[in-house]
Amino acid sequence: MHKNVFVRAAAVASSLALLVSVAACGDNATSDNGSSAAFSSSSVNISGEFAGAGASSQKSAVDAWIAGFQQQYPDAQIAYDPSGSGAGVNSFLQGNALWAGSDASLSDDQVSQSSSRCANGTTAFDIPVYISPIAIVYNLSDAGFNGSDKHIQMSADTVAKIFDGKITKWNDDAIKAENPGVDLPDLAITPVYRSDKSGTTKNFQNYLSQAAPNSWSYEPGENWPGSAGQGASGTSGVISTVKQAQGTIGYADASQAGELGTVAVKVGDEYVPYSAEAAAKVVDASPEDTSVKGDNRIVIKIDHATTAEGAYPVVLVSYDVACPAYEKASDAQFVKQWLTYVVSEDGQKTAADNAGSAPMSDTLRQKVLASINNIKTE
């Protein structure tokens, strides 16, 4: 990692520092496992350069987390490369990043590979750190449908058929039936998908396959399976491509939706626009996946087909991937403190304020902290 990357990261952190509030040690509420619900710095001195890489969906949150963390540890220079979930995990496995952000949980093969990355014969673990709705964004500004408060209604079947190239016009009968009285334009639809390996893509496909199994026949994965539309790299690439042309539609972390129009998806008998609160309802109601291999892992099985009132099922849980043991004690100390801050009440509020994510529940936080506390720092 080049020095100037850390300089840029530090500059971003400094500009965000005024937005972040970190609770003082004396005000912290202590959890049952001995960790603080609110973040407080330890007596460990953390200094040096530390690099992470991965999910572009986390970028806004990570920028804010860096600012908050550096208030407690000003000598820690932190850089995060939002190269995408797949690239980030590969960078971590190759030893080029201390941790990775990923919108998809580790595969069995990746867990196995991590034994050569982590120290003492241990294998990597993944924990949820960032919960966010995936917005289905579109550009119909010429027709007056753009804006954060503008929503075209669609069922999962309609969304699936659009992204599979089976519905090709905005005034198709299927879309008109779900939007009575709306003057939809006679305009071609151009789906925009992630061209890079992406956990957001996998989460979006999980929604399509679970909520519209008769209309989406592809096996969900981190690579886009279809040929309809246009590919773009990264979250920023999708948003940029959608903005550039009328009639486009894509999927991206909701923190990047801006003033594009967004789809309100059908859940039960209602249509629900995205929000952090609506996404949190799905996550809180979803079970933990106890079938995953490896120690300390916490993976959530999202119920994308939920019919719960007010829930928004197009949601991602983004994970951080780390080792329970590192060759250098200083690396382990940093990762342990960094992850503790990220999942603390302070860290989760910082992400919510700056990226629009949904803070994790206290119940989930205690499980995650138990995994983090297993990182060996000596």
Side-chain angles (χ1 to χ4, degrees):
M1 184 70 67
H2 297 296
K3 177 78 74 177
N4 62 343
V5 175
F6 288 95
V7 172
R8 289 196 302 270
V12 171
S14 296
S15 66
L16 284 164
L18 293 176
L19 300 176
V20 181
S21 173
V22 181
C25 301
D27 294 331
N28 292 341
T30 303
S31 68
D32 292 340
N33 67 2
S35 296
S36 293
F39 178 72
S40 62
S41 60
S42 72
S43 59
V44 175
N45 177 40
I46 296 178
S47 63
E49 297 180 347
F50 306 100
S56 56
S57 62
Q58 288 189 28
K59 184 183 184 304
S60 296
V62 173
D63 285 346
W65 285 331
I66 289 173
F69 191 82
Q70 287 182 327
Q71 285 193 349
Q72 294 284 354
Y73 298 103
D75 294 328
Q77 299 300 309
I78 308 166
Y80 182 76
D81 179 11
S83 53
S85 298
V89 172
N90 286 338
S91 183
F92 166 79
L93 292 173
Q94 292 165 7
N96 297 321
L98 286 179
W99 88 96
S102 178
D103 294 341
S105 58
L106 294 171
S107 67
D108 290 346
D109 184 55
Q110 288 170 332
V111 172
S112 178
Q113 289 179 50
S114 70
S115 63
S116 61
R117 165 65 175 100
C118 301
N120 302 336
T122 59
T123 55
F125 65 95
D126 37 8
I127 52 171
V129 298
Y130 179 79
I131 299 167
S132 179
I134 298 172
I136 304 171
V137 295
Y138 58 80
N139 185 357
L140 292 173
S141 59
D142 288 355
F145 291 111
N146 274 31
S148 58
D149 60 342
K150 302 293 178 63
H151 310 290
I152 291 177
Q153 299 180 162
M154 295 186 189
S155 65
D157 281 307
T158 298
V159 175
K161 289 173 182 176
I162 286 173
F163 279 89
D164 200 21
K166 295 173 181 174
I167 292 178
T168 60
K169 285 291 191 73
W170 279 100
N171 62 347
D172 186 276
D173 288 343
I175 304 177
K176 288 169 65 177
E178 298 189 73
N179 296 272
V182 176
D183 186 18
L184 294 163
D186 182 11
L187 182 66
I189 297 175
T190 302
V192 180
Y193 56 87
R194 286 282 291 269
S195 59
D196 56 325
K197 191 174 182 181
S198 162
T200 305
T201 290
K202 185 174 182 179
N203 279 277
F204 183 55
Q205 287 191 78
N206 279 335
Y207 162 70
L208 296 177
S209 65
Q210 290 181 31
N214 295 326
S215 300
W216 191 258
S217 59
Y218 304 101
E219 184 70 23
E222 293 179 272
N223 294 308
W224 187 254
S227 57
Q230 181 177 346
S233 181
T235 301
S236 60
V238 170
I239 294 297
S240 176
T241 302
V242 171
K243 286 181 177 179
Q244 287 173 9
Q246 294 293 307
T248 49
I249 186 170
Y251 57 93
D253 183 84
S255 65
Q256 305 300 313
E259 288 302 307
L260 291 169
T262 58
V263 171
V265 299
K266 191 174 186 180
V267 180
D269 294 326
E270 64 176 340
Y271 289 91
V272 182
Y274 83 82
S275 70
E277 295 75 18
K281 284 188 178 183
V282 178
V283 175
D284 288 345
S286 297
E288 186 177 337
D289 188 348
T290 58
S291 68
V292 297
K293 298 179 181 179
D295 297 330
N296 302 316
R297 300 183 63 197
I298 299 176
V299 177
I300 309 298
K301 292 180 68 175
I302 299 296
D303 181 10
H304 293 284
T306 183
T307 57
E309 183 178 355
Y312 182 83
V314 198
V315 63
L316 66 82
V317 174
S318 196
Y319 299 85
D320 271 0
V321 179
C323 288
Y326 290 83
E327 294 292 342
K328 294 170 61 177
S330 58
D331 289 343
Q333 288 166 349
F334 164 75
V335 171
K336 190 170 188 175
Q337 284 301 109
W338 169 257
L339 293 179
T340 299
Y341 168 64
V342 163
V343 304
S344 70
E345 287 183 6
D346 296 323
Q348 291 290 292
K349 183 179 185 302
T350 294
D353 290 344
N354 290 279
S357 59
M360 68 173 60
S361 67
D362 288 337
T363 299
L364 179 57
R365 178 181 295 107
Q366 296 314 315
K367 293 179 181 179
V368 171
L369 284 171
S371 290
I372 296 170
N373 286 339
N374 284 325
I375 296 176
K376 305 300 181 186
T377 57
E378 296 180 355

